[in-house]
Amino acid sequence: MPEIKVVGDIRSGKYQPTLTGNAIVDAALIDHFCQQLATALQLPGQRVQAEHHWNLTIDAQTIYIIDSRIWRASATPGDHQNVIPVSGIDLQRGRITTAYRRLLHLLPHQTTSNL
């Protein structure tokens, strides 16, 4: 099973967008999103991790859930089926429905929960 990385803020490099501008708050919000998603997918918590130092490259073996503003600004060329853009509001509020539904197509053998 591939690892799932959630990119909602970037703390290093030239490109450093954030959700709220507060690194501690952003980390807590993204960690909450990760926990919600891991629970819904019935995965161990370490399979869904926040990625705060993303270097704008896509690993084909990893599934990325990325703030749509970061994804658009990254201008990463190609059609990446393993990238799921979500709104920053969804990340802030822990709303996992969009990501969850897309992940069900990427992880068809996963069991479903009540979403």
Side-chain angles (χ1 to χ4, degrees):
M1 164 169 276
E3 183 178 26
I4 300 169
K5 291 186 178 182
V6 179
V7 181
D9 71 335
I10 299 176
R11 297 185 193 161
S12 61
K14 294 180 188 177
Y15 182 68
Q16 298 181 27
T18 64
L19 285 175
T20 67
N22 181 314
I24 295 170
V25 172
D26 288 352
L29 293 170
I30 295 167
D31 285 345
H32 175 71
F33 183 91
C34 291
Q35 291 167 0
Q36 295 283 95
L37 194 57
T39 300
L41 292 170
Q42 300 176 357
L43 295 174
Q46 69 269 18
R47 302 295 281 183
V48 183
Q49 293 292 315
E51 177 63 70
H52 301 291
H53 302 284
W54 186 51
N55 63 7
L56 305 179
T57 60
I58 303 294
D59 173 14
Q61 302 304 313
T62 302
I63 296 173
Y64 297 89
I65 299 170
I66 301 178
D67 182 321
S68 55
R69 295 171 299 155
I70 293 172
W71 183 240
R72 280 191 306 273
S74 75
T76 305
D79 181 27
H80 301 283
Q81 298 299 317
N82 60 328
V83 174
I84 301 171
V86 296
S87 78
I89 300 297
D90 284 354
L91 290 170
Q92 288 176 345
R93 297 192 177 157
R95 293 191 304 217
I96 62 167
T97 306
T98 299
Y100 177 82
R101 287 182 180 149
R102 291 277 312 276
L103 282 167
L104 288 180
H105 295 290
L106 294 174
L107 308 169
H109 60 282
Q110 277 306 124
T111 59
T112 59
S113 66
N114 299 324
L115 273 190

